[in-house]
Amino acid sequence: MHVDKQSCGLGPDSEYVELAVEVFAMLAEATRVRIILALRNAGEMSVNHLAEAVDKSAAGVSQHLAKLRMARMVSTRREGTTVYYRLTDEHASDLVIDAVKQAEHVLGQQPRPHIEQASI
């Protein structure tokens, strides 16, 4: 099992550690997290709809989307003059969901499954 972790980049000496840090840095902004959650729920949205969903200006959301697109976390589809954004895959969404779950645990709002399972 240890060999499998090393081969897929999960060891502490992995070549992917620095890139993983860049992913976390990309997600270390509340508006981007909100955008990812909105896209996770809606599937696909235009800049204006995303701006409404995250309660930010369309110009600001557009700048965040450009960064997320450069990081390959979102992709686009054009229909006429409207550009629709969607998550490229589930990985960014999974990271955000895990971070929200961790925040819930820290605040004590959710039971800690690993503790409950240990006492069963």
Side-chain angles (χ1 to χ4, degrees):
M1 184 177 275
H2 177 71
V3 173
D4 288 342
K5 286 185 179 181
Q6 291 288 20
S7 66
C8 64
L10 296 179
D13 59 346
S14 169
E15 63 184 303
Y16 301 108
V17 169
E18 297 301 322
L19 290 172
V21 170
E22 289 180 27
V23 169
F24 285 123
M26 181 61 60
L27 297 175
E29 210 294 328
T31 300
R32 291 186 205 135
V33 169
R34 288 183 175 100
I35 288 169
I36 288 172
L37 289 172
L39 289 172
R40 177 184 176 271
N41 292 332
E44 187 176 74
M45 298 175 83
S46 68
V47 173
N48 290 332
H49 286 120
L50 274 167
E52 287 177 31
V54 301
D55 197 27
K56 299 291 180 184
S57 72
V61 167
S62 183
Q63 290 178 355
H64 287 293
L65 285 166
K67 290 178 182 180
L68 290 169
R69 189 172 179 198
M70 285 177 49
R72 298 182 185 160
M73 292 183 184
V74 299
S75 54
T76 61
R77 174 182 68 84
R78 181 177 294 277
E79 188 174 298
T81 59
T82 305
V83 177
Y84 293 93
Y85 290 84
R86 65 184 172 280
L87 295 174
T88 303
D89 55 43
E90 75 282 355
H91 299 300
S93 175
D94 289 348
L95 285 169
V96 168
I97 290 166
D98 284 344
V100 169
K101 286 179 181 178
Q102 176 63 28
E104 289 172 340
H105 289 305
V106 168
L107 293 177
Q109 295 180 358
Q110 296 291 323
R112 300 176 100 177
H114 56 278
I115 292 174
E116 288 177 6
Q117 290 173 356
S119 64
I120 294 178

PDB file of all heavy atoms in Angstrom, residues 83-111:
ATOM      1  N   VAL A  83     -21.145  33.669 -22.270  1.00  0.00           N
ATOM      2  CA  VAL A  83     -20.190  32.634 -21.910  1.00  0.00           C
ATOM      3  C   VAL A  83     -20.681  31.974 -20.630  1.00  0.00           C
ATOM      4  O   VAL A  83     -21.005  32.657 -19.650  1.00  0.00           O
ATOM      5  CB  VAL A  83     -18.772  33.217 -21.705  1.00  0.00           C
ATOM      6  CG1 VAL A  83     -17.803  32.132 -21.250  1.00  0.00           C
ATOM      7  CG2 VAL A  83     -18.281  33.882 -22.980  1.00  0.00           C
ATOM      8  N   TYR A  84     -20.753  30.663 -20.659  1.00  0.00           N
ATOM      9  CA  TYR A  84     -21.177  29.893 -19.496  1.00  0.00           C
ATOM     10  C   TYR A  84     -19.957  29.188 -18.893  1.00  0.00           C
ATOM     11  O   TYR A  84     -19.121  28.649 -19.608  1.00  0.00           O
ATOM     12  CB  TYR A  84     -22.232  28.859 -19.887  1.00  0.00           C
ATOM     13  CG  TYR A  84     -23.530  29.495 -20.317  1.00  0.00           C
ATOM     14  CD1 TYR A  84     -23.776  29.778 -21.647  1.00  0.00           C
ATOM     15  CD2 TYR A  84     -24.491  29.835 -19.377  1.00  0.00           C
ATOM     16  CE1 TYR A  84     -24.956  30.382 -22.046  1.00  0.00           C
ATOM     17  CE2 TYR A  84     -25.682  30.434 -19.763  1.00  0.00           C
ATOM     18  CZ  TYR A  84     -25.904  30.703 -21.099  1.00  0.00           C
ATOM     19  OH  TYR A  84     -27.072  31.306 -21.478  1.00  0.00           O
ATOM     20  N   TYR A  85     -19.895  29.207 -17.571  1.00  0.00           N
ATOM     21  CA  TYR A  85     -18.797  28.583 -16.848  1.00  0.00           C
ATOM     22  C   TYR A  85     -19.298  27.340 -16.140  1.00  0.00           C
ATOM     23  O   TYR A  85     -20.430  27.282 -15.668  1.00  0.00           O
ATOM     24  CB  TYR A  85     -18.221  29.567 -15.814  1.00  0.00           C
ATOM     25  CG  TYR A  85     -17.478  30.698 -16.466  1.00  0.00           C
ATOM     26  CD1 TYR A  85     -18.151  31.816 -16.936  1.00  0.00           C
ATOM     27  CD2 TYR A  85     -16.099  30.640 -16.626  1.00  0.00           C
ATOM     28  CE1 TYR A  85     -17.468  32.848 -17.547  1.00  0.00           C
ATOM     29  CE2 TYR A  85     -15.410  31.675 -17.236  1.00  0.00           C
ATOM     30  CZ  TYR A  85     -16.102  32.770 -17.695  1.00  0.00           C
ATOM     31  OH  TYR A  85     -15.418  33.783 -18.308  1.00  0.00           O
ATOM     32  N   ARG A  86     -18.409  26.348 -16.049  1.00  0.00           N
ATOM     33  CA  ARG A  86     -18.709  25.111 -15.329  1.00  0.00           C
ATOM     34  C   ARG A  86     -17.398  24.598 -14.727  1.00  0.00           C
ATOM     35  O   ARG A  86     -16.305  24.954 -15.179  1.00  0.00           O
ATOM     36  CB  ARG A  86     -19.319  24.069 -16.253  1.00  0.00           C
ATOM     37  CG  ARG A  86     -18.387  23.581 -17.338  1.00  0.00           C
ATOM     38  CD  ARG A  86     -19.078  22.606 -18.297  1.00  0.00           C
ATOM     39  NE  ARG A  86     -18.225  22.316 -19.425  1.00  0.00           N
ATOM     40  CZ  ARG A  86     -18.050  23.094 -20.492  1.00  0.00           C
ATOM     41  NH1 ARG A  86     -18.679  24.254 -20.576  1.00  0.00           N
ATOM     42  NH2 ARG A  86     -17.251  22.749 -21.475  1.00  0.00           N
ATOM     43  N   LEU A  87     -17.516  23.752 -13.731  1.00  0.00           N
ATOM     44  CA  LEU A  87     -16.323  23.144 -13.144  1.00  0.00           C
ATOM     45  C   LEU A  87     -15.728  22.173 -14.153  1.00  0.00           C
ATOM     46  O   LEU A  87     -16.462  21.431 -14.811  1.00  0.00           O
ATOM     47  CB  LEU A  87     -16.676  22.410 -11.850  1.00  0.00           C
ATOM     48  CG  LEU A  87     -17.171  23.299 -10.710  1.00  0.00           C
ATOM     49  CD1 LEU A  87     -17.623  22.444  -9.540  1.00  0.00           C
ATOM     50  CD2 LEU A  87     -16.083  24.270 -10.277  1.00  0.00           C
ATOM     51  N   THR A  88     -14.425  22.182 -14.278  1.00  0.00           N
ATOM     52  CA  THR A  88     -13.745  21.289 -15.214  1.00  0.00           C
ATOM     53  C   THR A  88     -13.904  19.835 -14.786  1.00  0.00           C
ATOM     54  O   THR A  88     -14.101  18.952 -15.607  1.00  0.00           O
ATOM     55  CB  THR A  88     -12.254  21.654 -15.322  1.00  0.00           C
ATOM     56  OG1 THR A  88     -12.169  23.024 -15.727  1.00  0.00           O
ATOM     57  CG2 THR A  88     -11.522  20.790 -16.307  1.00  0.00           C
ATOM     58  N   ASP A  89     -13.811  19.591 -13.494  1.00  0.00           N
ATOM     59  CA  ASP A  89     -13.997  18.254 -12.932  1.00  0.00           C
ATOM     60  C   ASP A  89     -14.425  18.413 -11.478  1.00  0.00           C
ATOM     61  O   ASP A  89     -14.652  19.535 -11.018  1.00  0.00           O
ATOM     62  CB  ASP A  89     -12.728  17.399 -13.081  1.00  0.00           C
ATOM     63  CG  ASP A  89     -11.503  18.062 -12.479  1.00  0.00           C
ATOM     64  OD1 ASP A  89     -11.616  18.629 -11.368  1.00  0.00           O
ATOM     65  OD2 ASP A  89     -10.434  18.021 -13.103  1.00  0.00           O
ATOM     66  N   GLU A  90     -14.522  17.331 -10.769  1.00  0.00           N
ATOM     67  CA  GLU A  90     -15.022  17.377  -9.397  1.00  0.00           C
ATOM     68  C   GLU A  90     -13.955  17.703  -8.358  1.00  0.00           C
ATOM     69  O   GLU A  90     -14.268  17.914  -7.186  1.00  0.00           O
ATOM     70  CB  GLU A  90     -15.694  16.041  -9.046  1.00  0.00           C
ATOM     71  CG  GLU A  90     -14.745  14.890  -8.789  1.00  0.00           C
ATOM     72  CD  GLU A  90     -14.142  14.246 -10.032  1.00  0.00           C
ATOM     73  OE1 GLU A  90     -14.503  14.616 -11.164  1.00  0.00           O
ATOM     74  OE2 GLU A  90     -13.283  13.359  -9.873  1.00  0.00           O
ATOM     75  N   HIS A  91     -12.687  17.784  -8.740  1.00  0.00           N
ATOM     76  CA  HIS A  91     -11.620  17.908  -7.758  1.00  0.00           C
ATOM     77  C   HIS A  91     -11.669  19.207  -6.964  1.00  0.00           C
ATOM     78  O   HIS A  91     -11.546  19.184  -5.729  1.00  0.00           O
ATOM     79  CB  HIS A  91     -10.255  17.728  -8.416  1.00  0.00           C
ATOM     80  CG  HIS A  91     -10.092  16.381  -9.042  1.00  0.00           C
ATOM     81  ND1 HIS A  91     -10.167  15.211  -8.334  1.00  0.00           N
ATOM     82  CD2 HIS A  91      -9.897  16.023 -10.331  1.00  0.00           C
ATOM     83  CE1 HIS A  91     -10.010  14.185  -9.144  1.00  0.00           C
ATOM     84  NE2 HIS A  91      -9.853  14.656 -10.370  1.00  0.00           N
ATOM     85  N   ALA A  92     -11.841  20.343  -7.615  1.00  0.00           N
ATOM     86  CA  ALA A  92     -11.918  21.617  -6.892  1.00  0.00           C
ATOM     87  C   ALA A  92     -13.128  21.621  -5.971  1.00  0.00           C
ATOM     88  O   ALA A  92     -13.056  22.070  -4.821  1.00  0.00           O
ATOM     89  CB  ALA A  92     -11.967  22.792  -7.862  1.00  0.00           C
ATOM     90  N   SER A  93     -14.232  21.101  -6.466  1.00  0.00           N
ATOM     91  CA  SER A  93     -15.452  21.018  -5.655  1.00  0.00           C
ATOM     92  C   SER A  93     -15.222  20.134  -4.433  1.00  0.00           C
ATOM     93  O   SER A  93     -15.627  20.482  -3.320  1.00  0.00           O
ATOM     94  CB  SER A  93     -16.599  20.467  -6.503  1.00  0.00           C
ATOM     95  OG  SER A  93     -17.745  20.271  -5.735  1.00  0.00           O
ATOM     96  N   ASP A  94     -14.567  19.009  -4.618  1.00  0.00           N
ATOM     97  CA  ASP A  94     -14.284  18.107  -3.502  1.00  0.00           C
ATOM     98  C   ASP A  94     -13.412  18.789  -2.447  1.00  0.00           C
ATOM     99  O   ASP A  94     -13.648  18.651  -1.243  1.00  0.00           O
ATOM    100  CB  ASP A  94     -13.597  16.828  -3.984  1.00  0.00           C
ATOM    101  CG  ASP A  94     -14.526  15.913  -4.768  1.00  0.00           C
ATOM    102  OD1 ASP A  94     -15.761  16.137  -4.757  1.00  0.00           O
ATOM    103  OD2 ASP A  94     -14.002  14.977  -5.412  1.00  0.00           O
ATOM    104  N   LEU A  95     -12.404  19.538  -2.894  1.00  0.00           N
ATOM    105  CA  LEU A  95     -11.544  20.258  -1.954  1.00  0.00           C
ATOM    106  C   LEU A  95     -12.338  21.277  -1.149  1.00  0.00           C
ATOM    107  O   LEU A  95     -12.180  21.400   0.065  1.00  0.00           O
ATOM    108  CB  LEU A  95     -10.411  20.969  -2.696  1.00  0.00           C
ATOM    109  CG  LEU A  95      -9.279  20.100  -3.194  1.00  0.00           C
ATOM    110  CD1 LEU A  95      -8.380  20.902  -4.133  1.00  0.00           C
ATOM    111  CD2 LEU A  95      -8.473  19.558  -2.028  1.00  0.00           C
ATOM    112  N   VAL A  96     -13.196  22.022  -1.831  1.00  0.00           N
ATOM    113  CA  VAL A  96     -14.004  23.034  -1.159  1.00  0.00           C
ATOM    114  C   VAL A  96     -14.969  22.377  -0.178  1.00  0.00           C
ATOM    115  O   VAL A  96     -15.122  22.826   0.957  1.00  0.00           O
ATOM    116  CB  VAL A  96     -14.746  23.916  -2.191  1.00  0.00           C
ATOM    117  CG1 VAL A  96     -15.808  24.766  -1.528  1.00  0.00           C
ATOM    118  CG2 VAL A  96     -13.743  24.790  -2.938  1.00  0.00           C
ATOM    119  N   ILE A  97     -15.609  21.298  -0.600  1.00  0.00           N
ATOM    120  CA  ILE A  97     -16.543  20.593   0.293  1.00  0.00           C
ATOM    121  C   ILE A  97     -15.806  20.093   1.528  1.00  0.00           C
ATOM    122  O   ILE A  97     -16.285  20.240   2.659  1.00  0.00           O
ATOM    123  CB  ILE A  97     -17.238  19.441  -0.450  1.00  0.00           C
ATOM    124  CG1 ILE A  97     -18.209  20.012  -1.478  1.00  0.00           C
ATOM    125  CG2 ILE A  97     -17.961  18.514   0.525  1.00  0.00           C
ATOM    126  CD1 ILE A  97     -18.697  18.995  -2.479  1.00  0.00           C
ATOM    127  N   ASP A  98     -14.628  19.499   1.335  1.00  0.00           N
ATOM    128  CA  ASP A  98     -13.854  19.019   2.479  1.00  0.00           C
ATOM    129  C   ASP A  98     -13.461  20.170   3.403  1.00  0.00           C
ATOM    130  O   ASP A  98     -13.484  20.027   4.626  1.00  0.00           O
ATOM    131  CB  ASP A  98     -12.616  18.256   2.019  1.00  0.00           C
ATOM    132  CG  ASP A  98     -12.944  16.854   1.522  1.00  0.00           C
ATOM    133  OD1 ASP A  98     -14.066  16.360   1.808  1.00  0.00           O
ATOM    134  OD2 ASP A  98     -12.094  16.260   0.843  1.00  0.00           O
ATOM    135  N   ALA A  99     -13.108  21.321   2.834  1.00  0.00           N
ATOM    136  CA  ALA A  99     -12.742  22.481   3.648  1.00  0.00           C
ATOM    137  C   ALA A  99     -13.940  22.989   4.443  1.00  0.00           C
ATOM    138  O   ALA A  99     -13.815  23.339   5.627  1.00  0.00           O
ATOM    139  CB  ALA A  99     -12.179  23.588   2.762  1.00  0.00           C
ATOM    140  N   VAL A 100     -15.115  23.004   3.826  1.00  0.00           N
ATOM    141  CA  VAL A 100     -16.328  23.435   4.538  1.00  0.00           C
ATOM    142  C   VAL A 100     -16.646  22.443   5.656  1.00  0.00           C
ATOM    143  O   VAL A 100     -16.991  22.841   6.775  1.00  0.00           O
ATOM    144  CB  VAL A 100     -17.516  23.594   3.556  1.00  0.00           C
ATOM    145  CG1 VAL A 100     -18.825  23.777   4.302  1.00  0.00           C
ATOM    146  CG2 VAL A 100     -17.263  24.766   2.604  1.00  0.00           C
ATOM    147  N   LYS A 101     -16.509  21.161   5.379  1.00  0.00           N
ATOM    148  CA  LYS A 101     -16.754  20.148   6.412  1.00  0.00           C
ATOM    149  C   LYS A 101     -15.771  20.320   7.563  1.00  0.00           C
ATOM    150  O   LYS A 101     -16.142  20.193   8.730  1.00  0.00           O
ATOM    151  CB  LYS A 101     -16.653  18.738   5.827  1.00  0.00           C
ATOM    152  CG  LYS A 101     -17.838  18.365   4.969  1.00  0.00           C
ATOM    153  CD  LYS A 101     -17.671  16.970   4.407  1.00  0.00           C
ATOM    154  CE  LYS A 101     -18.841  16.590   3.516  1.00  0.00           C
ATOM    155  NZ  LYS A 101     -18.649  15.247   2.933  1.00  0.00           N
ATOM    156  N   GLN A 102     -14.508  20.601   7.247  1.00  0.00           N
ATOM    157  CA  GLN A 102     -13.513  20.830   8.285  1.00  0.00           C
ATOM    158  C   GLN A 102     -13.900  22.050   9.120  1.00  0.00           C
ATOM    159  O   GLN A 102     -13.804  22.034  10.345  1.00  0.00           O
ATOM    160  CB  GLN A 102     -12.119  21.030   7.672  1.00  0.00           C
ATOM    161  CG  GLN A 102     -11.034  21.367   8.676  1.00  0.00           C
ATOM    162  CD  GLN A 102     -10.789  20.261   9.683  1.00  0.00           C
ATOM    163  OE1 GLN A 102     -11.002  19.090   9.416  1.00  0.00           O
ATOM    164  NE2 GLN A 102     -10.327  20.632  10.867  1.00  0.00           N
ATOM    165  N   ALA A 103     -14.366  23.112   8.474  1.00  0.00           N
ATOM    166  CA  ALA A 103     -14.807  24.308   9.195  1.00  0.00           C
ATOM    167  C   ALA A 103     -15.978  23.984  10.116  1.00  0.00           C
ATOM    168  O   ALA A 103     -16.031  24.464  11.258  1.00  0.00           O
ATOM    169  CB  ALA A 103     -15.188  25.405   8.204  1.00  0.00           C
ATOM    170  N   GLU A 104     -16.907  23.165   9.637  1.00  0.00           N
ATOM    171  CA  GLU A 104     -18.045  22.755  10.476  1.00  0.00           C
ATOM    172  C   GLU A 104     -17.564  21.999  11.704  1.00  0.00           C
ATOM    173  O   GLU A 104     -18.048  22.211  12.812  1.00  0.00           O
ATOM    174  CB  GLU A 104     -19.011  21.891   9.673  1.00  0.00           C
ATOM    175  CG  GLU A 104     -19.782  22.651   8.623  1.00  0.00           C
ATOM    176  CD  GLU A 104     -20.602  21.747   7.712  1.00  0.00           C
ATOM    177  OE1 GLU A 104     -20.312  20.527   7.631  1.00  0.00           O
ATOM    178  OE2 GLU A 104     -21.523  22.258   7.065  1.00  0.00           O
ATOM    179  N   HIS A 105     -16.588  21.108  11.530  1.00  0.00           N
ATOM    180  CA  HIS A 105     -16.051  20.346  12.656  1.00  0.00           C
ATOM    181  C   HIS A 105     -15.374  21.279  13.650  1.00  0.00           C
ATOM    182  O   HIS A 105     -15.545  21.129  14.857  1.00  0.00           O
ATOM    183  CB  HIS A 105     -15.042  19.298  12.182  1.00  0.00           C
ATOM    184  CG  HIS A 105     -15.663  18.159  11.454  1.00  0.00           C
ATOM    185  ND1 HIS A 105     -16.665  17.382  11.959  1.00  0.00           N
ATOM    186  CD2 HIS A 105     -15.399  17.661  10.226  1.00  0.00           C
ATOM    187  CE1 HIS A 105     -17.002  16.452  11.090  1.00  0.00           C
ATOM    188  NE2 HIS A 105     -16.256  16.604  10.022  1.00  0.00           N
ATOM    189  N   VAL A 106     -14.606  22.226  13.140  1.00  0.00           N
ATOM    190  CA  VAL A 106     -13.890  23.156  14.013  1.00  0.00           C
ATOM    191  C   VAL A 106     -14.876  23.955  14.858  1.00  0.00           C
ATOM    192  O   VAL A 106     -14.646  24.205  16.034  1.00  0.00           O
ATOM    193  CB  VAL A 106     -12.988  24.096  13.177  1.00  0.00           C
ATOM    194  CG1 VAL A 106     -12.461  25.246  14.016  1.00  0.00           C
ATOM    195  CG2 VAL A 106     -11.833  23.313  12.571  1.00  0.00           C
ATOM    196  N   LEU A 107     -15.991  24.332  14.246  1.00  0.00           N
ATOM    197  CA  LEU A 107     -17.004  25.101  14.973  1.00  0.00           C
ATOM    198  C   LEU A 107     -17.902  24.215  15.830  1.00  0.00           C
ATOM    199  O   LEU A 107     -18.761  24.714  16.543  1.00  0.00           O
ATOM    200  CB  LEU A 107     -17.856  25.915  13.990  1.00  0.00           C
ATOM    201  CG  LEU A 107     -17.104  27.026  13.262  1.00  0.00           C
ATOM    202  CD1 LEU A 107     -18.023  27.713  12.250  1.00  0.00           C
ATOM    203  CD2 LEU A 107     -16.547  28.045  14.246  1.00  0.00           C
ATOM    204  N   GLY A 108     -17.725  22.904  15.709  1.00  0.00           N
ATOM    205  CA  GLY A 108     -18.490  21.979  16.528  1.00  0.00           C
ATOM    206  C   GLY A 108     -19.933  21.816  16.102  1.00  0.00           C
ATOM    207  O   GLY A 108     -20.760  21.367  16.878  1.00  0.00           O
ATOM    208  N   GLN A 109     -20.246  22.153  14.860  1.00  0.00           N
ATOM    209  CA  GLN A 109     -21.628  22.065  14.401  1.00  0.00           C
ATOM    210  C   GLN A 109     -21.973  20.697  13.844  1.00  0.00           C
ATOM    211  O   GLN A 109     -23.130  20.409  13.635  1.00  0.00           O
ATOM    212  CB  GLN A 109     -21.898  23.135  13.346  1.00  0.00           C
ATOM    213  CG  GLN A 109     -21.797  24.529  13.906  1.00  0.00           C
ATOM    214  CD  GLN A 109     -22.062  25.580  12.855  1.00  0.00           C
ATOM    215  OE1 GLN A 109     -22.284  25.272  11.694  1.00  0.00           O
ATOM    216  NE2 GLN A 109     -22.035  26.825  13.260  1.00  0.00           N
ATOM    217  N   GLN A 110     -21.018  19.874  13.590  1.00  0.00           N
ATOM    218  CA  GLN A 110     -21.269  18.552  13.043  1.00  0.00           C
ATOM    219  C   GLN A 110     -20.555  17.524  13.921  1.00  0.00           C
ATOM    220  O   GLN A 110     -19.469  17.773  14.419  1.00  0.00           O
ATOM    221  CB  GLN A 110     -20.724  18.440  11.608  1.00  0.00           C
ATOM    222  CG  GLN A 110     -21.414  19.358  10.634  1.00  0.00           C
ATOM    223  CD  GLN A 110     -22.847  18.924  10.375  1.00  0.00           C
ATOM    224  OE1 GLN A 110     -23.146  17.747  10.322  1.00  0.00           O
ATOM    225  NE2 GLN A 110     -23.731  19.887  10.235  1.00  0.00           N
ATOM    226  N   PRO A 111     -21.162  16.360  14.105  1.00  0.00           N
ATOM    227  CA  PRO A 111     -20.466  15.314  14.852  1.00  0.00           C
ATOM    228  C   PRO A 111     -19.231  14.857  14.095  1.00  0.00           C
ATOM    229  O   PRO A 111     -19.179  14.952  12.876  1.00  0.00           O
ATOM    230  CB  PRO A 111     -21.495  14.182  14.946  1.00  0.00           C
ATOM    231  CG  PRO A 111     -22.452  14.450  13.840  1.00  0.00           C
ATOM    232  CD  PRO A 111     -22.444  15.937  13.603  1.00  0.00           C
TER     233      PRO A 111
END
